Amino acid sequence: MAEKRTTVPVPSTSTLQRGKACLRCRKRKMKCDGAKPACQQCVRAKKGDGCEYDDGKGKTRTQLMREHIAKLELRIKELESTEVSSPPVTLFDPHAMSSYLSESSSSSGHGSPGNFSVSASASPIPFPLDGETPSWEDQWASMADFAAASQVPDPFSADDPPVELAQMLLEIFLPHRHQCGLEIHVGRLRESLNYPPSERRHPVLMNAIYLWACYLSRPTSLSEHESLYLARALSAMNDAVADPSKVIDLIQASCLLSVYFLSNGRLLEGSYHSSAASSLAIQWGLHQIGSSEITSGAIMNEWDSTFRLDPPKDSIEQGERILAFWQIYDLDRCWSVALQRPGMLPDNKHPRTTITTPWPQSMAEYEAGDLDIGSGSPTINAFFIHQAQATPLVGGFNPAALRVKVSALLEGANKLSQSWTPRLPTACNFQDNFRLFESTITRFITTLLPLHQLSPNMADDKYTWYMIHSLAYAAMIRLHQPFIQDDQVSRDKSLQAARSVTLVTKLLTEADFEYLDPLIGHCWVSAARIFVFELAQMPMASSWASAELRGELATLLYALSKLSTKFPLLGYEVAKMQKILDTAA
């Protein structure tokens, strides 16, 4: 149980000395009251655990964590070196461990300490046995000393990494989980590392998470182990497929692997795992969560269904299932547009394939038991109908739901624009559908929270909002793309949307690039192509307008270049557009 935090207030009449504010308030230039362990600004923003003070008397938790990671990486290099000689081995009395084994939890993650052979100078017990719980930093240091003295192989060579290594990799990944689309209960994920193996999240998911942790650590030495965790994740898939209780873990892992492959330019492998996740979602009924509780044919559905998940234990588990489905939906709809291939997740009028799963909610709402079970009606189709009619029945206004809606808009705009050909019959209702869809996108954009109104306590959703705005403007570009050559209205609206994408890009800080969804690069590419097209159409005399467009394009190229260092898929587009820009100079 976490130790209760007692806040030490600072009298309101006192003036906080310069340099005494917490690091978070300093960074945001906010007034800090200096209360410890957490100031009121951090408490109100629900960032109390991240409130740190650098008063020069000691190191912050962030500094300690970085030092521990550096020590562990150094130790890994030492263990990998063939020139490191093994210390002398001295066996210890296993009976001396009886009190430790009886008092410690079976979920320590280290297995039996008797499995290790240690030197006489080292204690066989890596952590203190008194009643006082040490900090995880102290445990980390103890583990490093213990590993240095024992005949422990490379910590990356074991099938399951030591719990401390697993914790480190997980903590590296968690701040980036939204970046690759994973919505999961963080507390339960952390706790699962201490459970017995049979009760943990499946290795296919954990190894996919460890893979991303190594990937996000480029170019440090930790990234050298990407191939190891990739191989383990792929190997664990066969076991996960055979275990119905782990299907959500398998689907989440498939999505993580898909984004990993796609981001690295391995498009066939990325598409394969995306398709596998879509197929599993339909097979296990994730696209119709809650429908069986509403429809009159629930009993018949139960008889007819070969694949059916056990009822969720609580609203959190149900919420994770809902979020897992929409993770697949976002992945399938957006990347199918980026790769110009059909989406694999069906959604039509057939009762078996129409999507009726309710809109995603925040994990906090699921924790509170505030679960929307849906109405059993088509979710996406109802959105298009109500959004076009500007009724208040659209529903789903949280960032996660808006992210799903904008994915549907992008895919819908792409599908509609590609259906047009000059040979369409005059009687075809394409023009009506086009105007209706354009109105739907416009109305959706006007309902979005302006980015300049994002408050500090919305930091967790900031990057989702960047993505929502960028995808909405990319949808408008996609809709008008076939007509910009011959229709001035479409050309003007595309240019306006491209400039709006650029404005979003200009709001980014250098640090923000570490947390961006790689798909935002597709939005930047769509906007950049509009600028390239405009430059090609512009007469030489329009030097001022040309310079303005070049400035816009340069902004996007800089952002793409910076993001391509993390996601190599974007490197090709950067090189191609830079060549066009240099040629036209």
Side-chain angles (χ1 to χ4, degrees):
M1 183 178 292
E3 185 179 351
K4 186 176 181 181
R5 297 165 65 96
T6 303
T7 301
V8 180
V10 174
S12 58
T13 56
S14 63
T15 302
L16 198 64
Q17 296 180 5
R18 184 177 180 84
K20 297 296 184 181
C22 74
L23 297 180
R24 184 174 176 274
C25 289
R26 283 196 218 173
K27 182 178 179 181
R28 289 163 175 75
K29 295 183 172 56
M30 298 187 299
K31 186 176 180 181
C32 181
D33 60 11
K36 295 182 179 180
C39 71
Q40 289 304 308
Q41 293 277 20
C42 291
V43 170
R44 280 196 295 270
K46 297 181 180 180
K47 298 290 183 181
D49 291 339
C51 186
E52 298 180 353
Y53 290 87
D54 185 7
D55 54 8
K57 298 179 181 178
K59 297 178 181 178
T60 65
R61 284 179 299 220
T62 302
Q63 291 170 332
L64 288 170
M65 182 182 291
R66 286 174 177 168
E67 288 184 3
H68 287 310
I69 291 174
K71 288 179 181 178
L72 189 59
E73 288 180 342
L74 179 61
R75 184 57 193 150
I76 290 168
K77 288 184 177 179
E78 292 176 356
L79 290 170
E80 289 174 340
S81 174
T82 56
E83 298 178 1
V84 176
S85 60
S86 301
V89 178
T90 302
L91 299 178
F92 58 89
D93 182 4
H95 299 289
M97 299 296 297
S98 59
S99 61
Y100 171 69
L101 293 175
S102 63
E103 294 176 11
S104 63
S105 167
S106 63
S107 61
S108 64
H110 295 283
S112 170
N115 292 337
F116 297 99
S117 297
V118 300
S119 67
S121 62
S123 167
I125 304 173
F127 307 125
L129 297 181
D130 55 31
E132 197 174 299
T133 303
S135 67
W136 81 269
E137 290 95 342
D138 294 334
Q139 293 181 15
W140 199 302
S142 300
M143 182 203 71
D145 295 338
F146 177 66
S150 54
Q151 281 193 318
V152 181
D154 181 350
F156 291 95
S157 65
D159 289 340
D160 290 322
V163 67
E164 290 79 10
L165 177 58
Q167 288 172 343
M168 182 194 78
L169 294 172
L170 181 59
E171 294 306 319
I172 291 173
F173 169 80
L174 284 177
H176 299 269
R177 65 190 184 278
H178 307 298
Q179 190 173 6
C180 42
L182 181 63
E183 300 294 338
I184 198 168
H185 191 278
V186 172
R188 290 188 177 182
L189 184 60
R190 285 190 175 117
E191 291 170 2
S192 69
L193 295 178
N194 297 317
Y195 294 161
S198 61
E199 299 178 17
R200 297 175 191 166
R201 303 302 289 256
H202 196 277
V204 70
L205 174 60
M206 298 313 300
N207 281 302
I209 287 174
Y210 302 152
L211 165 67
W212 266 92
C214 295
Y215 176 39
L216 294 166
S217 299
R218 291 180 182 180
T220 67
S221 61
L222 194 60
S223 64
E224 298 171 5
H225 303 282
E226 276 184 52
S227 58
L228 170 66
Y229 287 115
L230 175 59
R232 287 182 179 176
L234 295 174
S235 176
M237 281 193 154
N238 291 334
D239 179 71
V241 168
D243 188 350
S245 67
K246 301 297 184 182
V247 66
I248 301 300
D249 292 357
L250 175 58
I251 289 172
Q252 291 170 326
S254 296
C255 291
L256 291 178
L257 289 171
S258 177
V259 179
Y260 171 80
F261 283 126
L262 292 170
S263 301
N264 282 282
R266 299 166 66 172
L267 305 184
L268 289 178
E269 293 160 289
S271 296
Y272 167 81
H273 287 283
S274 174
S275 300
S278 298
S279 178
L280 285 167
I282 298 298
Q283 190 70 72
W284 287 96
L286 293 187
H287 64 304
Q288 296 183 341
I289 293 176
S291 297
S292 61
E293 303 170 12
I294 299 167
T295 60
S296 58
I299 296 178
M300 294 301 296
N301 289 339
E302 185 74 31
W303 290 346
D304 293 342
S305 178
T306 305
F307 299 88
R308 183 166 295 277
L309 294 172
D310 292 334
K313 298 182 179 67
D314 52 28
S315 60
I316 294 177
E317 187 171 319
Q318 180 80 327
E320 281 204 2
R321 294 179 181 183
I322 293 171
L323 291 169
F325 171 73
W326 291 118
Q327 177 185 8
I328 302 165
Y329 185 90
D330 287 339
L331 173 65
D332 177 72
R333 290 300 190 260
C334 293
W335 280 101
S336 66
V337 175
L339 301 179
Q340 287 299 286
R341 61 167 175 78
M344 301 304 295
L345 199 62
D347 183 22
N348 50 47
K349 295 181 180 180
H350 192 282
R352 292 287 189 185
T353 53
T354 185
I355 295 174
T356 60
T357 296
W359 295 115
Q361 299 169 254
S362 68
M363 190 55 71
E365 289 177 296
Y366 293 131
E367 277 186 297
D370 184 15
L371 179 66
D372 177 14
I373 63 172
S375 62
S377 60
T379 308
I380 299 298
N381 288 340
F383 158 66
F384 282 128
I385 293 171
H386 295 148
Q387 185 74 36
Q389 296 173 351
T391 72
L393 304 175
V394 180
F397 294 104
N398 63 77
L402 292 173
R403 175 67 172 83
V404 171
K405 291 177 181 180
V406 78
S407 298
L409 288 173
L410 178 68
E411 195 259 353
N414 184 67
K415 185 181 294 185
L416 181 59
S417 66
Q418 288 190 334
S419 70
W420 180 84
T421 68
R423 295 183 297 275
L424 277 177
T426 307
C428 178
N429 58 355
F430 175 84
Q431 291 294 336
D432 293 337
N433 290 336
F434 182 91
R435 284 191 291 268
L436 188 62
F437 207 91
E438 181 188 35
S439 175
T440 299
I441 296 174
T442 302
R443 189 172 288 112
F444 176 82
I445 291 174
T446 59
T447 64
L448 297 179
L449 176 71
L451 293 179
H452 67 270
Q453 293 183 14
L454 292 177
S455 59
N457 61 358
M458 300 172 67
D460 289 343
D461 296 325
K462 179 174 70 171
Y463 303 107
T464 303
W465 281 111
Y466 288 156
M467 195 72 214
I468 293 168
H469 279 261
S470 299
L471 285 172
Y473 296 123
M476 186 66 78
I477 293 173
R478 279 283 172 184
L479 185 65
H480 286 278
Q481 186 172 329
F483 313 107
I484 60 174
Q485 184 76 44
D486 304 312
D487 187 273
Q488 187 62 43
V489 174
S490 287
R491 181 175 170 180
D492 292 341
K493 289 184 177 181
S494 296
L495 182 58
Q496 182 182 2
R499 283 175 167 154
S500 297
V501 171
T502 310
L503 285 176
V504 176
T505 307
K506 290 177 179 178
L507 295 175
L508 300 175
T509 66
E510 293 293 311
D512 288 336
F513 283 87
E514 294 294 321
Y515 300 94
L516 293 175
D517 186 324
L519 193 64
I520 202 171
H522 166 72
C523 303
W524 298 347
V525 168
S526 297
R529 286 172 178 168
I530 296 298
F531 292 134
V532 169
F533 171 80
E534 287 294 327
L535 284 171
Q537 306 301 311
M538 190 163 290
M540 296 298 293
S542 304
S543 57
W544 179 85
S546 175
E548 184 182 19
L549 287 174
R550 287 178 180 278
E552 302 269 21
L553 183 55
T555 299
L556 290 176
L557 285 177
Y558 171 78
L560 280 166
S561 298
K562 192 164 183 63
L563 198 59
S564 67
T565 61
K566 185 68 70 175
F567 304 119
L569 175 64
L570 301 173
Y572 168 74
E573 290 291 345
V574 173
K576 185 168 65 173
M577 291 187 186
Q578 187 63 58
K579 184 177 180 180
I580 294 173
L581 195 62
D582 293 342
T583 302

